[in-house]
Amino acid sequence: MSRLLPLEPDKLSPDQRRVYDAIASGPRGSVRGPFVALMHVPELTDRIQHLGEYLRYGTCFPPRLSEFAILITARHYTCQYEWQAHEPHALKGGLAPSIIDAIKERRRPDDMQPDEIAVFDFTTELLRNGKISDVAYERAVQAFGTRGAVELGALIGYYIMIGMTLLAHEVALPPGKTPPLK
């Protein structure tokens, strides 16, 4: 059960309504998950949703790789909502089920492609150590360029923020969903 009462769309303030409508009419298609909690502060929600839209849909990464980094981040914090929301996108984007299973089980996946190794090492080192080795950093730059390394760091940071929002407010899973992570 969420710590926050859901906002009723017909009782939103004008600022909340503007942001709500922007999210619902954008690529997300609806207001759910972290945005239900964030809508209590519409200006913050608006800024966050624009950043998230760019990081999710506008970076140099195909969904297979961006969703991979998101799943690694969700697993690191055992963020149930984030995992259940992004696992289908990872599968649809072409990430191998065996890689998803390995992340779920907190182990290094076998048989990763070179670009997946670059994302895995960059993301896991940043989350685990708070820094990235020169080898992992250079691998990411070689695979994605400086732009990609910057975008990957920002993507991880964004999903840490989203995960913390979900966890702090105990945002509930959608009805009928069971926690996917142990």
Side-chain angles (χ1 to χ4, degrees), residues 4 13 46 54 62 74 87 90 94 99 103-104 115 132 155 176:
L4 299 170
S13 72
D46 195 37
Y54 174 79
E87 182 178 19
I99 291 176
I103 298 306
K104 194 178 224 180
D115 57 358
I132 302 163
L155 178 72

Side-chain angles (χ1 to χ4, degrees), residues 20-32 49 53 56-57:
Y20 184 97
D21 290 345
I23 294 169
S25 66
R28 292 179 186 93
S30 67
V31 178
R32 61 191 178 280
Q49 74 99 0
E53 184 176 321
R56 180 106 184 274
Y57 306 107

Side-chain angles (χ1 to χ4, degrees), residues 16-178:
Q16 287 172 319
R17 171 53 65 190
R18 177 183 53 77
V19 175
Y20 184 97
D21 290 345
I23 294 169
S25 66
R28 292 179 186 93
S30 67
V31 178
R32 61 191 178 280
F35 296 105
V36 172
L38 291 166
M39 282 299 299
H40 291 273
V41 186
E43 184 174 345
L44 177 63
T45 308
D46 195 37
R47 292 170 187 249
I48 288 172
Q49 74 99 0
H50 283 292
L51 176 61
E53 184 176 321
Y54 174 79
L55 290 170
R56 180 106 184 274
Y57 306 107
T59 68
C60 68
F61 294 97
R64 173 178 59 88
L65 297 177
S66 59
E67 295 296 335
F68 187 29
I70 295 165
L71 289 181
I72 295 167
T73 305
R75 176 70 264 196
H76 181 79
Y77 292 104
T78 311
C79 187
Q80 304 285 359
Y81 194 101
E82 199 165 59
W83 182 277
Q84 68 81 34
H86 288 276
E87 182 178 19
H89 297 298
L91 287 165
K92 183 179 177 186
L95 190 62
S98 62
I99 291 176
I100 294 170
D101 290 343
I103 298 306
K104 194 178 224 180
E105 296 164 6
R106 295 187 185 271
R107 50 180 184 81
R108 183 181 183 88
D110 297 324
D111 301 322
M112 288 186 284
Q113 298 174 41
D115 57 358
E116 293 167 342
I117 292 169
V119 168
F120 180 85
D121 289 347
F122 188 103
T123 305
T124 56
E125 286 186 19
L126 186 58
L127 291 168
R128 185 181 310 125
N129 306 327
K131 60 184 177 179
I132 302 163
S133 68
D134 290 342
V135 170
Y137 189 84
E138 286 304 316
R139 186 178 296 123
V141 170
Q142 287 298 313
F144 314 114
T146 300
R147 173 188 172 157
V150 171
E151 288 178 340
L152 184 55
L155 178 72
I156 296 161
Y158 175 80
Y159 278 95
I160 290 170
M161 177 181 62
I162 292 299
M164 295 300 103
T165 299
L166 291 161
L167 293 169
H169 303 291
E170 297 181 355
V171 174
L173 292 173
K177 296 283 186 175
T178 57

